[in-house]
């Protein structure tokens, strides 16, 4: 799951025996691609050293309002650890372990250390993983604190059952680091706008064989379709990408890739997945014609001229438009003249909900480039032009529009 990749994660470590597990947490969070900064309370430093967490996070560890290194150095002015900056840097805050003392202060607005000042300044989601002995965990005060924190929108990662540091057995152990990570990932995922949606995407060119060594193809790089697949998965969707031959790699493991070569293979794969899809975006540059016969042996150059008889391929998009039920169907139109008019005709003819128009006359649009310039045309013929942008941003524009329309 890639939801933690690239996220700024502020890990708050407070003073309980489970603080030693913070080292594993930092390791796992960084392995998931998170940028981790650790903030410790003074008590936490009794259990685990800042050096350990700083080495693992590859970042300075903070624990007081002034920079620790310059604090003790009489020749240097102390510098301020800006709690507001740290709070705003974070995409999410995880307080693990969260002791009864820290949680009580969080619930009542106390602010006598850096972590609490960051907590009060934060605008991002705050997760907390309590850790204490079983009777402390059961105490009505602790429950009242949980209720208060949850009413603020803080998200509790409940403590686990098991043997506690006291030797007693019950609920109070901090949840194991691996489970904390899964909890975070699932919680983030289910809040994403495309969570629970299945999206079918076609991308790249198709190759239509002439003989065992030659084919008819086109210049499509697949970059636009791959960017849509990646962005859709990052927004929580379950993505099936039917891809023609391209030289691209996907960073998100959550995209299922079906590799095909010809238009006929793309047709079959698209039909296999369309029925169970909520949204289909057909961005592939499908060959409109294929050789009627594929020579079984390499064609020798015996004659000065050679004619190939071509026959039409099936229009995948139009065929899906014919059978569509509740699916939101999106097509592309690559045009060189009368762009808007042609795109509107395609939208209607192929029974689409949305068409993404590219004009090859626009600079920065079309095949192979890393940028694109699109105009969205909706079913009601509403036209929404966008400026030239990187394809990754264009993908987000398209998906945001789809989200708006499908939730409307
Ligand atoms: N498309 C498809 N199957 C085909 C041809 C096109 O699914 N055999 C889809 C493309 O993926 C795109 C849309 O149809 O989403 C429009 O493709 P485009 O090449 O612009 O238009 P065509 O319908 O092929 O018409 P023309 O080439 O005449 O402009």
């Amino acid at each position: 799951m890639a939801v933690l990749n690239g996220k700024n994660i502020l890990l708050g470590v407070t003073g309980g025996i489970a603080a030693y597990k913070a080292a594993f947490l930092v390791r796992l969070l960084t392995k998931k691609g998170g940028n981790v900064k650790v903030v410790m309370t003074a008590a936490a430093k009794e259990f685990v050293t800042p050096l350990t967490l700083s080495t693992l996070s590859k970042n300075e560890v903070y624990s007081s309002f002034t920079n620790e290194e310059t604090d003790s150095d009489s020749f240097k002015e102390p510098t301020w650890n800006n709690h507001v900056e740290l709070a705003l840097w974070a995409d999410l805050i995880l307080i693990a372990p969260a002791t009864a003392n820290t949680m009580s202060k969080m619930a009542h607005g106390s602010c006598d250390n850096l972590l609490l000042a960051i907590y009060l300044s934060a605008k991002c989601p705050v997760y907390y993983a309590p850790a204490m002995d079983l009777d402390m965990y059961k105490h009505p005060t602790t429950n009242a604190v949980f209720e208060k924190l949850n009413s603020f929108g803080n998200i509790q990662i409940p403590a686990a059952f098991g043997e506690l540091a006291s030797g007693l057995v019950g609920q109070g152990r901090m949840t194991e680091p691996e489970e904390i990570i899964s909890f975070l990932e699932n919680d983030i995922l289910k809040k994403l706008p495309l969570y629970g949606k299945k999206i079918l995407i076609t991308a790249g060119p198709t190759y239509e064989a002439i003989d065992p060594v030659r084919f008819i193809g086109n210049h499509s790089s697949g970059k636009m379709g791959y960017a849509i697949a990646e962005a859709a998965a990052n927004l929580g969707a379950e993505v099936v990408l039917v891809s023609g031959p391209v030289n691209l790699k996907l960073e998100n493991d959550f995209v299922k890739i079906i590799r095909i070569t010809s238009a006929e293979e793309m047709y079959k794969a698209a039909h296999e997945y369309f029925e169970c899809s909520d949204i289909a975006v057909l961005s592939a540059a499908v060959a409109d014609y294929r050789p009627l016969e594929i020579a079984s042996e390499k064609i020798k150059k015996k004659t000065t001229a050679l004619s190939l008889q071509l026959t039409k391929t099936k229009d995948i998009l139009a065929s899906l438009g014919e059978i569509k039920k509740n699916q939101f169907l999106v097509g592309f139109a690559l045009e060189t003249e009368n762009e808007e008019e042609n795109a509107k005709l395609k939208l209607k003819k192929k029974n689409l909900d949305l068409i993404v128009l590219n004009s090859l006359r626009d600079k920065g649009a079309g095949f192979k480039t890393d940028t694109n310039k699109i105009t969205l045309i909706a079913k009601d013929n509403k036209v929404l032009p966008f400026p030239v942008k990187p394809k990754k941003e264009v993908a987000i524009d398209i998906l945001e529009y789809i989200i708006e329309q499908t939730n409307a």
Side-chain angles (χ1 to χ4, degrees), residues 37-53:
K37 287 187 181 177
V38 179
V39 179
M40 304 175 79
T41 60
K45 292 201 278 185
E46 305 284 330
F47 293 92
V48 61
T49 71
L51 182 63
T52 305
L53 302 183

Side-chain angles (χ1 to χ4, degrees), residues 135-296:
D135 291 314
M136 293 168 75
Y137 199 80
K138 278 194 289 205
H139 199 281
T141 311
T142 307
N143 265 314
V145 164
F146 288 160
E147 271 173 28
K148 201 147 206 186
L149 292 179
N150 298 345
S151 78
F152 298 156
N154 298 162
I155 303 141
Q156 189 190 148
I157 306 174
F161 283 87
E163 192 178 334
L164 298 152
S166 62
L168 298 172
V169 176
Q171 192 176 14
R173 286 169 66 96
M174 185 179 85
T175 295
E176 290 303 320
E178 286 82 1
E179 287 160 33
I180 291 182
I181 304 295
S182 302
F183 185 102
L184 290 180
E185 287 180 324
N186 286 328
D187 193 72
I188 294 168
L189 192 65
K190 70 176 194 241
K191 289 173 183 161
L192 291 172
L194 287 176
Y195 177 72
K197 298 272 186 221
K198 291 186 174 157
I199 303 196
L200 166 70
I201 294 165
T202 66
T206 62
Y207 287 176
E208 309 305 324
I210 297 171
D211 67 16
V213 291
R214 303 179 182 95
F215 60 83
I216 298 173
N218 61 65
H219 291 298
S220 168
S221 64
K223 283 179 184 170
M224 194 63 250
Y226 272 61
I228 297 170
E230 191 103 51
N234 289 340
L235 290 170
E238 212 179 293
V239 181
V240 173
L241 173 65
V242 180
S243 170
V246 295
N247 258 327
L248 296 173
K249 275 201 181 120
L250 273 178
E251 284 159 30
N252 198 314
D253 306 339
F254 271 71
V255 179
K256 176 175 179 162
I257 303 195
I258 314 286
R259 293 186 197 280
I260 55 86
T261 306
S262 66
E264 184 60 25
E265 287 166 1
M266 185 173 271
Y267 177 91
K268 283 189 184 137
H271 274 265
E272 189 182 333
Y273 289 95
F274 183 66
E275 207 182 308
C276 64
S277 299
D278 301 292
I279 297 161
V281 182
L282 273 66
S283 67
V286 187
D288 288 330
Y289 292 92
R290 64 173 172 81
L292 185 61
E293 307 278 350
I294 304 174
S296 56

